[in-house]
Amino acid sequence: MNDKLRVGLILDSQTVPHWIYKTIEKIIRSGTADIRLVMLNSDKPHEKVPSGSLMYRIHEMLDRYAVGHRIFYHRTSSLARLLKEVPETHIQNDFTISRREIAVSKLDLILNLSSFAVPGTAVPLARYGVWHYSIENEEGSVCGFYRETMEKAPVLAAVVRCSNGAFDGEAVIHRNWFKVNYNSIHVNRNHAFHLCALILPRLLGGLSAGGQDFFDRERSRFRQSAQSFVEPALPGNTLAFRNLVAFLSFYLYRFVVYRTESRWFIKYQYNGKEKLLVPPSDRFWADPFVVRHQDRVLLFVEEFIYKRGKAHITLLELNRQGTLLGSRVVLDKPYHLSYPFVFEHDGCWYMIPETAGNRTIELYKCTGFPDEWTFVMNLMEQIKATDTTVFFHEQKWWLFTSVNAAPGFEDHNELYLFYSDNLLTNQWTPHPANPLNTDVRTARPAGRIFMRDGEIIRPSQDCSVRYGRAFNLSRITRLTENSYAEELLSTTRVDAKSGFKGTHTFNTDKNIIVTDVYKYNRRLSMSGI
């Protein structure tokens, strides 16, 4: 298709929150859409005075003071320059004033970025209906952020809903689940509204290129659900005070008792026995990849040295009884390395370590097995990709990687897929369904993709609640150049009684299974564990 979309905007004012400004600016700069009409909300409600109890307002104020340098969603910007040549009209509840202008503009789409509730009679006026952006919790209710932060909700969702005359009610055409930050209400708001500037321009780009097929595919990808518009209740003084005291006490305790970095260990099952590899106290081991080579058991791991503040790739070698024989560094760079994805192809061993700090996906070849590795090429450049995992299937290489397209939010990762006929190339074709997965609970890779009973199994990380919460195994049910589908089989979490807090990698080779586990790193701990 690749025709520019004719887009109308519904706004409360020409002066808008910064997140709306950035969204509109990116849409215009993308070249995929023309803004044809601006509809200003004549029934815009008066500005709300600060609401909620005194203690709630104090909490909000302290929160804003602590993180003010990191947030921008509440700032305002004028759209006068961006939209200076766009016709403008005003709307009221029945939409009657702007019907003629909408008809003349022949809109493909109306983006409602206002507080205005568009009546159902208006949706046939645009080809793809009226879209609106909202933040919802797991129950499908509009998110107020305070309760979800205080109650430590695992995830929130950035949702794009569409009202269209072609179907009854609303359809969800995008849902992006992201982790809740338990440190700050305002950081969560900033993340939620910032995502609008990522999601809407991307959707419009897909719609411009794919037309009705793209629209239908997006509607079918996401589970439909009703949305509750009940105004989230704010706490009274007593509850807000208790929450604030608990909040401050918890983080004071964490600061005094624990270090910033967690402590990771390698857990493995070998010959039916489970063992734990404990690193020296000045470092941790994580992201294990196991290789059974002849009579040798080799573990390639991320080794993070606390004082250096970055990691390199280390080789751990075990004997037949599963005892650690020794360790040695096999790959080190000026930037952080982790997730040493090691695999064999045509009799040669290769490694793709995570090199997101260098904005590359790098390929290395083993020139002296197992500890001499030589750089071959960059498979991709200028990309912030983590935990890259390749899989050879039906004479084609499939490259799965977790991409962060939301600068400023380190834990926001989505699953992307690329493919090529050759491994040694930098010409990888992006899959048309990218991003394949926008759920923080299942998107990020967690180890080698493997075959089990004729099925393709993909390990993934559950990064909700906290990084490294759990890992999943999902079955890939469709993998082609045009489509992709998978279904969740299982989620593995650590036993709370073990003292460990989480796990995030799964790999296996023959009769060995390796994972990693972590616990908080006590400042005054006298134990290696």
Side-chain angles (χ1 to χ4, degrees):
M1 183 177 170
N2 288 318
D3 295 328
K4 280 194 175 184
L5 297 169
R6 298 180 296 271
V7 175
L9 298 176
I10 304 178
L11 304 171
D12 282 328
S13 166
Q14 285 274 14
T15 299
V16 296
H18 190 64
W19 63 273
I20 294 180
Y21 179 90
K22 295 300 292 183
T23 300
I24 296 172
E25 181 184 46
K26 286 187 68 174
I27 289 172
I28 293 172
R29 289 185 175 180
S30 70
T32 60
D34 281 334
I35 309 299
R36 294 293 185 91
L37 182 65
V38 173
M39 292 161 274
L40 297 179
N41 180 10
S42 298
D43 297 317
K44 178 190 174 185
H46 296 294
E47 292 294 330
K48 293 183 178 180
V49 297
S51 59
S53 64
L54 174 63
M55 291 309 305
Y56 169 76
R57 297 200 302 273
I58 290 174
H59 190 162
E60 283 256 330
M61 179 186 66
L62 292 174
D63 191 330
R64 188 185 293 271
Y65 177 79
V67 301
H69 63 290
R70 297 171 55 187
I71 62 174
F72 61 82
Y73 74 93
H74 61 296
R75 301 171 191 166
T76 58
S77 301
S78 172
L79 292 169
R81 182 182 59 84
L82 284 180
L83 304 177
K84 62 182 178 180
E85 297 180 0
V86 180
E88 180 181 305
T89 187
H90 290 76
I91 57 174
Q92 292 179 336
N93 288 335
D94 59 2
F95 233 58
T96 54
I97 294 179
S98 55
R99 281 182 178 274
R100 184 177 60 82
E101 290 89 342
I102 293 174
V104 170
S105 301
K106 297 180 180 179
L107 299 178
D108 293 310
L109 174 70
I110 297 174
L111 293 181
N112 183 8
L113 298 174
S114 75
S115 58
F116 182 78
V118 177
T121 56
V123 295
L125 294 176
R127 181 181 179 186
Y128 298 108
V130 179
W131 294 11
H132 69 91
Y133 179 81
S134 63
I135 309 301
E136 304 172 14
N137 54 34
E138 286 188 288
E139 292 78 38
S141 300
V142 174
C143 172
F145 295 100
Y146 178 83
R147 179 173 67 87
E148 289 81 5
T149 305
M150 292 299 99
E151 295 181 1
K152 294 182 169 52
V155 287
L156 293 174
V159 182
V160 178
R161 291 177 177 268
C162 172
S163 299
N164 187 299
F167 48 82
D168 295 331
E170 290 186 322
V172 174
I173 56 174
H174 187 83
R175 185 182 281 114
N176 195 311
W177 293 102
F178 61 95
K179 184 175 73 171
V180 178
N181 184 313
Y182 300 148
N183 295 322
S184 170
I185 304 164
H186 287 294
V187 166
N188 286 322
R189 287 178 181 152
N190 200 50
H191 190 177
F193 294 122
H194 174 91
L195 286 179
C196 186
L198 169 68
I199 293 169
L200 282 182
R202 187 165 67 191
L203 286 174
L204 265 60
L207 188 61
S208 173
Q212 189 67 44
D213 289 341
F214 174 85
F215 182 75
D216 293 339
R217 187 182 71 203
E218 293 304 294
R219 281 205 303 129
S220 66
R221 283 178 65 178
F222 298 95
R223 176 179 57 83
Q224 307 303 304
S225 62
Q227 183 186 38
S228 170
F229 288 95
V230 177
E231 186 76 17
L234 296 178
N237 278 313
T238 301
L239 179 58
F241 177 76
R242 284 165 44 194
N243 283 342
L244 181 58
V245 170
F247 180 86
L248 295 175
S249 299
F250 174 76
Y251 287 102
L252 179 62
Y253 173 79
R254 283 289 308 273
F255 177 78
V256 171
V257 176
Y258 296 105
R259 301 178 186 273
T260 303
E261 307 90 352
S262 297
R263 185 128 163 80
W264 287 85
F265 311 84
I266 306 300
K267 181 180 286 189
Y268 65 98
Q269 296 178 21
Y270 184 53
N271 291 331
K273 297 181 180 179
E274 186 172 271
K275 296 189 177 183
L276 186 72
L277 293 179
V278 180
S281 60
D282 66 339
R283 65 196 66 194
F284 70 65
W285 292 333
D287 293 351
F289 281 77
V290 61
V291 172
R292 284 295 305 271
H293 185 70
Q294 298 173 356
D295 290 334
R296 305 171 76 178
V297 179
L298 307 170
L299 300 181
F300 295 86
V301 303
E302 168 197 355
E303 182 173 62
F304 187 97
I305 309 297
Y306 296 124
K307 286 186 177 180
R308 293 183 67 190
K310 76 175 194 68
H312 50 254
I313 306 304
T314 285
L315 172 65
L316 310 178
E317 185 165 359
L318 311 179
N319 63 17
R320 292 183 178 180
Q321 289 71 44
T323 302
L324 179 63
L325 298 176
S327 67
R328 53 192 182 274
V329 177
V330 297
L331 189 62
D332 194 6
K333 291 289 179 180
Y335 39 90
H336 179 82
L337 302 177
S338 60
Y339 197 82
F341 181 81
V342 177
F343 62 102
E344 188 178 16
H345 175 61
D346 284 344
C348 299
W349 287 94
Y350 293 92
M351 181 194 297
I352 304 177
E354 179 196 307
T355 52
N358 198 41
R359 297 187 62 83
T360 52
I361 299 178
E362 301 175 6
L363 178 68
Y364 291 81
K365 183 177 181 180
C366 191
T367 53
F369 191 82
D371 50 12
E372 295 179 11
W373 296 86
T374 302
F375 175 75
V376 177
M377 65 182 300
N378 288 332
L379 301 181
M380 294 186 191
E381 297 178 346
Q382 299 305 311
I383 184 172
K384 191 172 183 182
T386 56
D387 302 343
T388 298
T389 303
V390 297
F391 179 60
F392 189 68
H393 179 63
E394 295 185 349
Q395 303 306 307
K396 196 174 296 293
W397 287 95
W398 305 90
L399 186 152
F400 295 78
T401 194
S402 179
V403 176
N404 183 348
F409 304 96
E410 290 298 322
D411 291 334
H412 192 87
N413 291 281
E414 301 169 314
L415 180 64
Y416 279 68
L417 176 61
F418 303 83
Y419 61 88
S420 171
D421 292 332
N422 302 303
L423 173 65
L424 304 179
T425 182
N426 58 10
Q427 301 298 313
W428 292 83
T429 302
H431 197 278
N434 282 339
L436 300 184
N437 189 317
T438 56
D439 191 335
V440 69
R441 296 168 295 189
T442 53
R444 189 168 176 170
R448 290 193 192 101
I449 296 173
F450 60 94
M451 301 296 297
R452 185 177 69 185
D453 299 329
E455 296 179 330
I456 306 173
I457 308 298
R458 186 182 78 89
S460 66
Q461 300 182 40
D462 179 353
C463 295
S464 64
V465 179
R466 58 184 176 272
Y467 174 71
R469 182 189 188 193
F471 67 79
N472 316 288
L473 296 181
S474 296
R475 175 172 55 237
I476 296 177
T477 57
R478 188 165 62 253
L479 178 59
T480 73
E481 294 179 9
N482 298 308
S483 61
Y484 178 86
E486 67 179 29
E487 56 184 38
L488 181 65
L489 297 177
S490 64
T491 298
T492 299
R493 297 187 175 92
V494 296
D495 183 354
K497 297 179 181 179
S498 68
F500 294 111
K501 297 298 181 180
T503 177
H504 75 347
T505 307
F506 175 90
N507 279 295
T508 181
D509 190 6
K510 300 182 176 67
N511 64 333
I512 299 180
I513 296 175
V514 293
T515 60
D516 49 10
V517 292
Y518 82 93
K519 60 174 52 179
Y520 297 139
N521 194 6
R522 286 182 173 271
R523 293 183 183 276
L524 302 178
S525 175
M526 302 299 292
S527 168
I529 298 181

